[in-house]
Amino acid sequence: MFAYILRRVAATIPVMAVVALFVFSLLYIAPGDPAAIIAGDQASPADIERIRISLGLDRPFLVRFGSWVWDVLNGDLGTSIFTNLPVTHMIAQRIQPTLSLMAITLAISLTIAIPLGVVAAWKQGTMIDRVAMVFSTLGFSVPVFVVGYVLAYVFALSLDWVPVQGYTPIEQGVVPWFLNLILPSIALGLIYMALIARITRATMLEVLSQDYVRTARAKGAGQRAILFVHALKNAAVPIVTIVGIGFASLIGGAVVTESVFAIPGLGRLTVDAILRRDYPVIQGVVLMFSFVYVLVNLAVDLLYTLFDPRIRY
Amino acid sequence: MSSWLFAQYPEAPALADVLPPRKARGKVAMFIHRYPTIVIGGVLLALVLGMAIFAPFLWTVDPTALAPAKRTRPPSELYWFGTDMLGRDIYSRVIFGTRVSLMVGFAVAALSSVVGLFIGLCAGFIRWLDTVVMRVMDGLMSIPSILLAIAFMALLGASVQNVVIAISIAEIPRVARLVRGVVLSLREQAYVEAAIASGTRVPLIIWRHILPNTLAPMIVQATFICASAMLAEATLSFIGAGTPPTIPSWGNIMAEGRALWQVKPFIVFFPAVFLSLTVLAVNLLGDGLRDALDPRLAKRI
């Protein structure tokens, strides 16, 4: 068990190294000389050269990469070109809305998608199944921001049930915080739900045809017990896998959702950074999100052993 | 057999001499009946394709023509989809925007398939390359694809060509993995081993045995890549990191309508409907092709 965890954690290191190398190259080949930017308009070429040496920009690629990795490991992601604030500081300022959005989306998606997939598999071929699958195909096809606008138009502008846009920090009350995030979460979660519901249905169909399910039926287990105890637990591994892989769509979608609903989170930070060509910030956000994504999938891998004790790599 | 056993039962009603004739279906009707999603998706996609090709003849005007006096007009007989904040005709912009979406979708599908196929074949056939290449692919795949595209766009600058490259880079690892998986499983097949044993050169093995087997899953994969590329293009344009704003694309029209969506929702609405329908068409086509090309998979997903 312990060896498995250790091996799995070690396996993420090369992946993270590739990510880091890519993200670093992004800044390395980005147009614009940081030394010239820092030196200002009045600087002579000699001044720029001095600053370049003092920043260590004259060193070879791999040396710079090494020292950059060292900085990152020490929690230093560089300084924004635009605001002159440390990138870690900017990320920390913006992280709460994004985390809240993702947490609510995850909660809503799982509570809707998994039962939906289970019921669709149980009632395979019926109207419920068809409707669920049409819903899931639609979820794949309608872009996040379109869903966002439709939801906001209907439930916020027309019906006036929830605020249209903006974000209320959780410190100012859980209810306004939740009300502000409910529409963005549904919009963001739709494609995620579609994905999870499909995989749940497919896996459940497979599991429900197994002998032990027939045995459970034969011994008189209730329908609910068969579905949720016998079948769902055995279908858990593929479902958890897709929950982890699909997390990428949550991260990508958050960038757009935050723009639609004017949520001051990391997505807004990314969009602003693109418009200002603030490469260190783009780099920091991409690195952080990728790191989160790798960690989520590591957690998923470790969860496997919980659902299926046979898994030992 | 002893007939007394059944004697106590009344005689069963005689079967009709002739069963009612099975409804005869023509080849076309049969195809529609068997693969409804391919037909629906294909017809929709053909319509959209027609729109892209014949855009100038579909009663459109110059999609970039400004008319400052006629800003944000609601849909009317003259302006079918209304006008945007610069007075441009949204109908014409949406119809011409079809071109960008389809171009990006098809180009990304083609580019990532070709490059992914090449990488996958190399990884599958060259042992020492396999681990290295696959680690790199894993690394690329662990960067959420939209973020990867955003990073590239920030670097490369806005142009349709760069959008295609940026989205392709995010999709290539998925194709490469698929192809590598097929290659690894095929290499163990008896007929491939026989070909190796009889001294067939690797390029010929690839051409004769490997490629035909990767074709079906790759076509299916390419359709889904096409759909997600169109969504990605719209997303990138929407956040201002995609197609340059001078080119009418669905994402750009929506990005421009963003500021006004509460008062003039039609600006966002029309391109959104076209985008969603087009992506839906490609997804349906992909679903149908998957069921048709690989019946074993049909039940599973």
Side-chain angles (χ1 to χ4, degrees):
Chain A
M1 181 71 198
F2 185 69
Y4 167 71
I5 294 176
L6 212 64
R7 225 170 306 152
R8 217 24 222 95
V9 172
T12 62
I13 292 174
V15 172
M16 279 315 294
V18 172
V19 173
L21 191 64
F22 169 78
V23 172
F24 175 76
S25 317
L26 170 68
L27 196 65
Y28 188 81
I29 51 178
D33 184 354
I37 294 170
I38 292 168
D41 297 336
Q42 307 295 324
S44 66
D47 291 338
I48 295 176
E49 196 53 40
R50 208 174 312 123
I51 292 173
R52 182 173 294 134
I53 292 172
S54 76
L55 288 172
L57 295 179
D58 56 332
R59 294 173 297 166
F61 177 83
L62 277 179
V63 178
R64 283 180 60 189
F65 177 59
S67 79
W68 176 79
V69 168
W70 182 248
D71 285 347
V72 170
L73 290 178
N74 284 308
D76 177 10
L77 285 171
T79 313
S80 157
I81 298 174
F82 191 78
T83 60
N84 272 325
L85 291 167
V87 174
T88 43
H89 184 74
M90 293 175 76
I91 289 179
Q93 269 182 339
R94 304 288 198 105
I95 203 160
Q96 198 214 34
T98 305
L99 277 186
S100 314
L101 177 65
M102 287 190 173
I104 296 181
T105 307
L106 201 60
I108 292 179
S109 305
L110 293 183
T111 44
I112 292 180
I114 292 181
L116 192 66
V118 170
V119 171
W122 173 33
K123 303 264 182 190
Q124 189 201 0
T126 64
M127 212 52 204
I128 302 175
D129 179 28
R130 296 238 175 91
V131 169
M133 285 307 107
V134 167
F135 156 83
S136 113
T137 308
L138 283 179
F140 281 123
S141 307
V142 185
V144 172
F145 46 95
V146 173
V147 183
Y149 280 131
V150 171
L151 288 177
Y153 195 81
V154 174
F155 293 102
L157 274 186
S158 306
L159 296 173
D160 204 18
W161 287 353
V162 287
V164 182
Q165 283 175 320
Y167 174 73
T168 318
I170 196 166
E171 295 89 2
Q172 293 174 20
V174 174
V175 175
W177 169 80
F178 183 74
L179 284 182
N180 249 322
L181 286 176
I182 177 85
L183 290 186
S185 301
I186 296 174
L188 176 57
L190 201 63
I191 193 166
Y192 199 44
M193 287 185 236
L195 202 62
I196 298 172
R198 268 198 178 203
I199 297 292
T200 306
R201 173 178 177 273
T203 329
M204 284 294 285
L205 277 182
E206 211 158 280
V207 172
L208 283 176
S209 64
Q210 299 287 321
D211 288 346
Y212 55 80
V213 171
R214 195 188 50 199
T215 309
R217 279 224 174 88
K219 78 169 189 193
Q223 186 61 253
R224 203 173 302 164
I226 290 175
L227 285 178
F228 288 95
V229 178
H230 296 271
L232 190 59
K233 201 179 167 213
N234 282 294
V237 168
I239 297 174
V240 176
T241 309
I242 206 69
V243 168
I245 292 173
F247 201 76
S249 76
L250 282 196
I251 294 175
V255 176
V256 186
T257 312
E258 288 178 11
S259 293
V260 171
F261 289 95
I263 299 169
L266 289 173
R268 283 296 303 172
L269 185 68
T270 318
V271 174
D272 292 344
I274 294 167
L275 298 178
R276 296 168 186 161
R277 304 251 150 171
D278 199 342
Y279 297 108
V281 174
I282 300 176
Q283 190 186 36
V285 174
V286 172
L287 189 69
M288 197 213 63
F289 272 136
S290 309
F291 189 59
V292 169
Y293 185 49
V294 171
L295 282 187
V296 165
N297 281 293
L298 175 66
V300 162
D301 271 13
L302 298 182
L303 269 180
Y304 286 169
T305 51
L306 202 75
F307 291 116
D308 191 345
R310 287 169 305 181
I311 292 182
R312 291 271 187 280
Y313 290 102
Chain B
M1 289 286 268
S2 42
S3 59
W4 59 267
L5 253 177
F6 304 103
Q8 50 192 314
Y9 297 110
E11 207 156 305
L15 285 172
D17 279 346
V18 184
L19 288 170
R22 234 177 99 251
K23 229 191 293 173
R25 285 199 178 94
K27 267 190 182 159
V28 177
M30 194 63 198
F31 188 81
I32 295 176
H33 181 73
R34 276 186 72 185
Y35 305 113
T37 51
I38 294 188
V39 176
I40 298 172
V43 168
L44 263 178
L45 192 63
L47 280 178
V48 176
L49 198 64
M51 252 166 52
I53 295 170
F54 299 111
F57 309 110
L58 294 170
W59 305 278
T60 52
V61 295
D62 180 4
T64 53
L66 306 180
K70 296 164 183 163
R71 289 189 305 256
T72 63
R73 294 280 171 88
S76 65
E77 266 176 51
L78 190 57
Y79 302 108
W80 292 353
F81 294 175
T83 59
D84 66 7
M85 55 288 240
L86 296 174
R88 292 171 297 194
D89 180 34
I90 295 177
Y91 170 72
S92 307
R93 291 178 73 70
V94 168
I95 298 291
F96 275 93
T98 314
R99 293 183 164 182
V100 177
S101 262
L102 288 187
M103 215 151 65
V104 170
F106 292 157
V108 169
L111 185 65
S112 51
S113 297
V114 171
V115 179
L117 177 68
F118 179 74
I119 296 178
L121 285 178
C122 289
F125 269 99
I126 308 171
R127 282 269 164 85
W128 59 269
L129 209 63
D130 188 29
T131 329
V132 181
V133 169
M134 282 301 128
R135 280 296 147 281
V136 173
M137 294 292 130
D138 284 351
L140 272 184
M141 273 173 81
S142 60
I143 304 175
S145 52
I146 282 287
L147 285 182
L148 192 64
I150 285 175
F152 269 104
M153 289 311 292
L155 205 65
L156 299 171
S159 82
V160 176
Q161 189 192 335
N162 290 348
V163 169
V164 171
I165 296 174
I167 303 174
S168 296
I169 287 173
E171 298 288 355
I172 285 170
R174 283 160 242 278
V175 183
R177 273 202 155 191
L178 177 85
V179 174
R180 172 184 173 266
V182 173
V183 171
L184 288 190
S185 69
L186 284 180
R187 277 173 47 153
E188 311 299 319
Q189 297 290 317
Y191 60 87
V192 174
E193 282 174 351
I196 296 171
S198 59
T200 316
R201 288 173 196 283
V202 170
L204 196 61
I205 293 181
I206 291 179
W207 178 252
R208 210 178 263 167
H209 301 299
I210 309 288
L211 277 187
N213 280 302
T214 51
L215 208 60
M218 265 188 51
I219 289 174
V220 175
Q221 180 87 345
T223 355
F224 291 127
I225 288 179
C226 177
S228 78
M230 289 195 288
L231 282 181
E233 186 274 330
T235 306
L236 287 175
S237 301
F238 183 76
I239 59 175
T243 313
T246 46
I247 299 174
S249 85
W250 291 338
N252 277 339
I253 306 171
M254 288 187 272
E256 287 152 9
R258 203 163 82 187
L260 291 173
W261 76 270
Q262 295 193 19
V263 278
K264 309 278 180 193
F266 60 86
I267 302 179
V268 175
F269 175 75
F270 288 110
V273 168
F274 276 78
L275 174 64
S276 308
L277 278 181
T278 310
V279 176
L280 181 68
V282 180
N283 273 334
L284 285 178
L285 193 65
D287 279 350
L289 285 177
R290 186 191 53 215
D291 296 353
L293 294 176
D294 193 350
R296 276 166 303 173
L297 264 179
K299 206 193 76 188
R300 290 191 51 216
I301 296 182

